[in-house]
Amino acid sequence: YVMQLCEDIQLDHIEHILRNVTVNPSQKQAITMALLSPFSLIQGPPGTGKTTTATELVQAWLSLHNDAHINNPLGERRILASAQSN
């Protein structure tokens, strides 16, 4: 029960974060599932929005974990994302 309650609260928080994100429903679902999963793979043919989805996923993750930031010497928050292309 407690685990389900925590997951429901987190899902509500994720939905709140994603309410103003301009992605299509399948991209929003991919972002939500990626935030709830320990490992995710986003794939698809060219032009399907993988880069947009990944960008919004990083933004959503930062919003969800805004207290768990990593500071560089200048005090800025940075995250490194890498991919085979783009």
Side-chain angles (χ1 to χ4, degrees), residues 62-77:
L62 287 171
S63 294
L64 195 60
H65 301 283
N66 62 3
D67 59 339
H69 61 279
I70 299 171
N71 291 323
N72 69 15
L74 300 175
E76 298 171 338
R77 290 173 50 165

Side-chain angles (χ1 to χ4, degrees), residues 13 18 25 32-33 49 61 75:
H13 192 176
L18 297 179
T32 301
M33 295 304 295
W61 187 89

Side-chain angles (χ1 to χ4, degrees), residues 23 27-28 30-31 42 48-58:
V23 295
Q27 290 170 312
K28 195 172 279 192
I31 293 168
I42 298 173
T48 55
K50 296 177 299 295
T51 301
T52 299
T53 302
T55 301
E56 295 298 338
L57 172 58
V58 170

